[in-house]
Amino acid sequence: MNNEELIDEINTLKKQKNAVILAHYYEIDPIQAIADFTGDSLALAVAASKTDAAIIVFCGVRFMAETAKIISPQKKVLLPAADAGCPLADFATKDTVLRKKKELGDVAVVSYVNTTAEVKTVSDICCTSANAVDVVKAIPQNRILFVPDKNLGEYVKKNVPDKEILLWDGYCYVHTAIKKKDILKIKEKYPDAKLAAHPECSKEIRDMADAIGSTTGVINFATQTNIKRVIIGTEQGVTYPIKKKVPEKELFILKEAICKDMKKTDMLKLRDALLYERYEIKLPAYILENARKPIQRMLKLKT
Ligand code: 13P
Ligand code: SF4
């Protein structure tokens, strides 16, 4: 079957089954192209909460599909690549968070959506990279355990200096692979090139960035400013929406910035997900119920 036939089959199955395809900006180009909705993790969570479709096919990683299921438990949520995980999310477990909480005493647990559903059940509120600063500012508690990304946590700490923010020792291997020496090499050749970086990048990168933002933030910086050359301080997938909007821009990607799990979904797996209705996200009722609360608290703040 050629690619055109595959595209037709996916579109036909989607209509027949009243399904919607959501895709993160780190997915491969053909997946982003065929999706009904692309976005960062916050926009995708909002889209999942608003869709009327019976089936949500989530082209992303497991915590994102789980978040969609938690928000819309009555819908069938499918993850086309069953093994697409997020190593950052695996830094925290429910037990380790509970242990830390006991040790620290009176703290509010703010968990990045890049966590397992179980960790969400013991969190006070969730956040994404797009709203982490606003979430931490908005909650009444002043002592916060921020789980699991220490870089995003440090970024929040800098932007909310009046609160005590305790960090978890987790990191994203993709964003921390972006190194200062590689950015400097590009800047040496193109001194006018500006760096837009994701807050999951290390401090040395955040300190030299011209803009810091979620994947949408990086895309907006590249598309909405008149800067000609942009160094992409996040996963390479964001170049697809940027190139679509501003093909004339010169983008510099870092070769290490590839999320292997986001690249596990391909067109065949997407077709099979629709055809066989696999791999369905299933979570026990108590997890669905308790993980929903911190996500809804976040969504209420945002929408
Ligand atoms: P966004 O919240 O920017 O979509 O990022 C999700 C993610 O996994 C970053 O690595
Ligand atoms: Fe997880 Fe990093 Fe991949 Fe995002 S880029 S899904 S944080 S491993």
Side-chain angles (χ1 to χ4, degrees), residues 49-177:
S49 72
K50 292 193 171 152
T51 180
D52 293 328
I55 298 180
I56 298 172
V57 187
F58 211 114
C59 301
V61 293
R62 181 161 291 270
F63 78 81
M64 295 180 173
E66 283 183 351
T67 302
K69 181 69 188 175
I70 293 162
I71 299 171
S72 300
Q74 72 291 357
K75 296 194 194 301
K76 191 175 255 191
V77 178
L78 307 174
L79 180 67
D83 60 342
C86 168
L88 167 60
D90 297 333
F91 273 100
T93 65
K94 180 181 165 185
D95 287 347
T96 52
V97 171
L98 284 177
R99 215 175 303 141
K100 194 76 190 166
K101 217 180 140 171
K102 201 168 166 199
E103 186 189 311
L104 293 170
D106 190 22
V107 282
V109 177
V110 176
S111 69
Y112 195 19
V113 280
N114 300 42
T115 45
T116 63
E118 277 218 319
V119 165
K120 290 181 176 78
T121 66
V122 293
S123 302
D124 292 273
I125 191 164
C126 287
C127 70
T128 74
S129 60
N131 64 14
V133 170
D134 293 339
V135 165
V136 170
K137 276 185 184 165
I139 59 174
Q141 295 94 331
N142 287 319
R143 197 159 180 257
I144 287 146
L145 173 62
F146 192 90
V147 180
D149 190 67
K150 64 178 172 199
N151 289 300
L152 178 61
E154 263 175 17
Y155 172 71
V156 172
K157 211 174 151 120
K158 193 177 168 195
N159 285 282
V160 194
D162 50 323
K163 295 206 177 189
E164 187 186 357
I165 299 170
L166 306 155
L167 303 176
W168 198 263
D169 199 17
Y171 63 91
C172 162
Y173 78 93
V174 179
H175 287 86
T176 51

Side-chain angles (χ1 to χ4, degrees), residues 233-289:
T234 188
E235 215 271 355
Q236 301 175 7
V238 301
T239 53
Y240 177 75
I242 299 172
K243 279 282 168 201
K244 240 173 74 177
K245 283 193 191 152
V246 283
E248 72 282 4
K249 293 249 164 147
E250 203 173 333
L251 306 176
F252 298 89
I253 52 170
L254 286 309
K255 68 174 188 318
E256 297 80 8
I258 293 191
C259 177
K260 287 187 216 123
D261 287 272
M262 286 284 187
K263 305 305 187 208
K264 283 177 178 166
T265 309
D266 60 21
M267 295 292 272
L268 211 52
K269 283 188 187 146
L270 172 56
R271 192 277 311 267
D272 287 347
L274 281 159
L275 185 61
Y276 305 114
E277 299 188 14
R278 71 187 192 195
Y279 296 92
E280 188 177 352
I281 300 290
K282 288 193 174 156
L283 293 166
Y286 83 93
I287 291 192
L288 283 174
E289 198 185 318

